[in-house]
Amino acid sequence: MVRQNPSYKEKKVISIGVVSELTGLSERQIRYYEERKLIFPDRSKGRNRKYSFSDVEALMDIANKIEDGFQTLEIRREKLKEQKKVEQEELRKKMIQGQLNARFGIRKN
Amino acid sequence: MVRQNPSYKEKKVISIGVVSELTGLSERQIRYYEERKLIFPDRSKGRNRKYSFSDVEALMDIANKIEDGFQTLEIRREKLKEQKKVEQEELRKKMIQGQLNARFGIRKN
DNA sequence: CGTGTAAGGAATTCTGACACG
DNA sequence: CGTGTAAGGAATTCTGACACG
């Protein structure tokens, strides 16, 4: 049973000003990292950027890497690689579950 | 050991517009419930109200009670009563812990 | 490349008040 | 009592651009 907690961490509700305060980054930097496809805020009514706490964490991570001399493109590639790893992991789990279902019957997890 | 998780739920970062969308309440209503001391948003730089997810939950609770015909004053009294109950509970726990410490030595919890 | 900044405009939020009931 | 609304103003956010390097 996957516990679907309210998941406040992923909810995109924070405006850029607050994100700036929370991360110590300038709004310019935050918008730029979006331009470089490192973060993906929502838009409220198609206009104002809204971020999640998860985005805030990602931004602090990005800030550290930038400080360590990484370029945004490198950071992006790293993220894509990790993303792919996670996806494969999920696929693998799904296949195993599929085999279990096939042999021992269907049940919802 | 009290786990101090990031506690995103309590962090006051959401502007009134988003709260309005999240709760379905008008901004007028949200401000009014603050005036009646049912919620206590922070202010960013002393101006703009900032709410937590916890506030959002409280607001939905308030909305239900209003719908059920309760007045804001009654709702407030209820909350104060519950608050007092929680405080007494905490005090009680602290006293028991104090006795344990006195008899079996000091340890951090 | 990553970031600052001034520019002009649009949307957001604020307060105090009047209205209805 | 609880809520809507118009009013005027202030702060926020947006975009596209120029600048430096």
Side-chain angles (χ1 to χ4, degrees), chain A residues 6 8-9 11-15 18 21-22 44-45 50 53-54 57, chain B residues 6 8-9 11-15 18 21-22 44-45 50 53-54 57:
Chain A
Y8 295 130
K9 187 173 171 180
K11 205 121 211 222
K12 311 246 182 186
V13 295
I14 315 177
S15 60
V18 174
E21 284 176 13
L22 255 33
S44 67
K45 271 173 286 175
K50 295 299 174 194
F53 283 111
S54 191
E57 286 186 6
Chain B
Y8 294 130
K9 187 174 172 183
K11 205 121 208 215
K12 310 248 181 184
V13 296
I14 314 177
S15 59
V18 174
E21 284 176 13
L22 256 33
S44 69
K45 271 173 285 171
K50 295 300 173 194
F53 283 111
S54 189
E57 287 186 5

Side-chain angles (χ1 to χ4, degrees), chain A:
Chain A
M1 192 75 72
V2 177
R3 179 182 293 283
Q4 184 56 34
N5 58 350
S7 111
Y8 295 130
K9 187 173 171 180
E10 305 300 332
K11 205 121 211 222
K12 311 246 182 186
V13 295
I14 315 177
S15 60
I16 196 167
V18 174
V19 172
S20 176
E21 284 176 13
L22 255 33
T23 60
L25 296 169
S26 71
E27 301 186 5
R28 179 68 165 99
Q29 288 174 305
I30 297 169
R31 294 199 190 97
Y32 180 67
Y33 300 150
E34 176 184 1
E35 189 184 320
R36 302 314 311 273
K37 300 195 193 303
L38 298 180
I39 44 171
F40 306 91
D42 276 0
R43 298 271 181 153
S44 67
K45 271 173 286 175
R47 191 175 182 272
N48 288 35
R49 276 168 266 251
K50 295 299 174 194
Y51 303 85
S52 65
F53 283 111
S54 191
D55 291 328
V56 171
E57 286 186 6
L59 280 168
M60 301 184 91
D61 224 70
I62 292 164
N64 285 331
K65 287 179 181 150
I66 293 277
E67 257 187 290
D68 292 349
F70 288 98
Q71 293 197 324
T72 55
L73 185 57
E74 305 176 90
I75 298 173
R76 181 163 178 229
R77 289 210 183 104
E78 256 182 72
K79 298 219 170 199
L80 287 175
K81 212 186 292 178
E82 277 172 48
Q83 182 55 25
K84 215 168 275 181
K85 208 181 290 179
V86 170
E87 275 164 19
Q88 287 199 334
E89 182 64 15
E90 275 165 11
L91 183 61
R92 199 179 58 73
K93 277 183 187 162
K94 223 165 257 174
M95 287 179 61
I96 289 174
Q97 188 59 48
Q99 292 195 317
L100 288 175
N101 285 346
R103 294 195 197 170
F104 303 111
I106 306 301
R107 62 207 68 153
K108 272 271 164 261
N109 70 322

